[in-house]
Amino acid sequence: MSSVVVVDYDEGWPALFEELRARVWPVVAGVATTIEHVGSTSVPGLAAKPIIDMTIVVPRREDVATAIERL
């Protein structure tokens, strides 16, 4: 059985998200409109599992498959 690890908020999470976003953006730039930091690590002061979640936003449902293929 695995355990869930929740840690205090880390002031470095926003910067880590930006680093990850910078790596992913060139791959999806032609189809996505933005990449957003989501989930508990995106909420300042909130304890969270130390996993950076992001959402790649596309303008149309039809663009989802293209974004997935590029990733």
Side-chain angles (χ1 to χ4, degrees):
M1 175 181 259
S2 62
S3 59
V4 175
V5 176
V6 175
V7 299
D8 289 336
Y9 181 77
D10 186 328
E11 298 284 336
W13 286 338
L16 180 54
F17 164 73
E18 289 300 332
E19 289 175 28
L20 295 169
R21 183 192 164 290
R23 291 173 56 191
V24 173
W25 181 250
V27 177
V28 297
V31 66
T33 57
T34 190
I35 300 175
E36 298 178 358
H37 188 183
V38 299
S40 53
T41 61
S42 70
V43 181
L46 184 65
K49 294 180 288 184
I51 298 168
I52 304 297
D53 295 313
M54 60 178 67
T55 296
I56 298 170
V57 180
V58 295
R60 301 170 306 160
R61 178 179 292 273
E62 298 81 31
D63 297 324
V64 172
T66 302
I68 290 171
E69 287 174 17
R70 290 183 180 192
L71 292 168

